[in-house]
Amino acid sequence: MDFRNEPLGLVARILALLSLFIGLGDAARLLGLGSGSASPVVLMGTMGFVLLSALTLMRLFASVGLWIQSSWGAIVLAASLVIEIGFYLAGSNWVSLGLWSFIFKLGVMLATFALLALAQLWVQRQLAD
């Protein structure tokens, strides 16, 4: 399953850019930008820092996968967003999201699920023809 047809490819590229921006924003948090002189490891805790590092790498790899219009990019992006939103909704101290960040990431997650569902429908339609 790939996203090489016109509407799915465009959505995949848009999600790739969103994933890239989310990943770069997380990387900036890991580097301590905007936190003053405090260490990001101290602010987030060791497990929070490790979790954010893994999610950052997942999102950056997902942006590459989505840009080349491969389905594994959407799966990796969806997995990273499900993990982060799941930890946030469970009340974990490792993930801190503001309201707008939560709404944005939830929207990106739902758009990723919609892309995967539409791609699956496209494949089944092609097999039926």
Side-chain angles (χ1 to χ4, degrees):
M1 175 172 50
D2 60 4
F3 308 124
R4 299 211 190 277
N5 62 3
E6 188 63 33
L8 293 179
L10 178 64
V11 173
R13 293 274 169 102
I14 292 170
L15 284 174
L17 291 174
L18 291 174
S19 177
L20 178 67
F21 290 136
I22 293 171
L24 290 176
D26 290 344
R29 284 183 51 208
L30 287 172
L31 293 174
L33 296 177
S35 63
S37 62
S39 169
V41 177
V42 172
L43 287 176
M44 291 182 260
T46 305
M47 285 305 298
F49 187 83
V50 169
L51 179 65
L52 186 61
S53 299
L55 292 174
T56 300
L57 285 175
M58 287 176 75
R59 289 181 184 133
L60 293 175
F61 279 111
S63 68
V64 171
L66 284 164
W67 190 260
I68 63 172
Q69 299 176 349
S70 179
S71 62
W72 62 264
I75 293 169
V76 170
L77 178 60
S80 72
L81 290 168
V82 165
I83 290 168
E84 183 174 23
I85 290 173
F87 272 113
Y88 177 72
L89 291 177
S92 173
N93 293 334
W94 298 335
V95 176
S96 62
L97 293 175
L99 175 64
W100 293 110
S101 178
F102 173 75
I103 291 171
F104 176 72
K105 289 181 180 182
L106 184 64
V108 172
M109 183 182 71
L110 293 175
T112 305
F113 286 148
L115 176 67
L116 288 169
L118 288 173
Q120 185 65 30
L121 286 173
W122 183 268
V123 167
Q124 288 182 1
R125 176 186 272 176
Q126 296 241 334
L127 289 176
D129 288 343

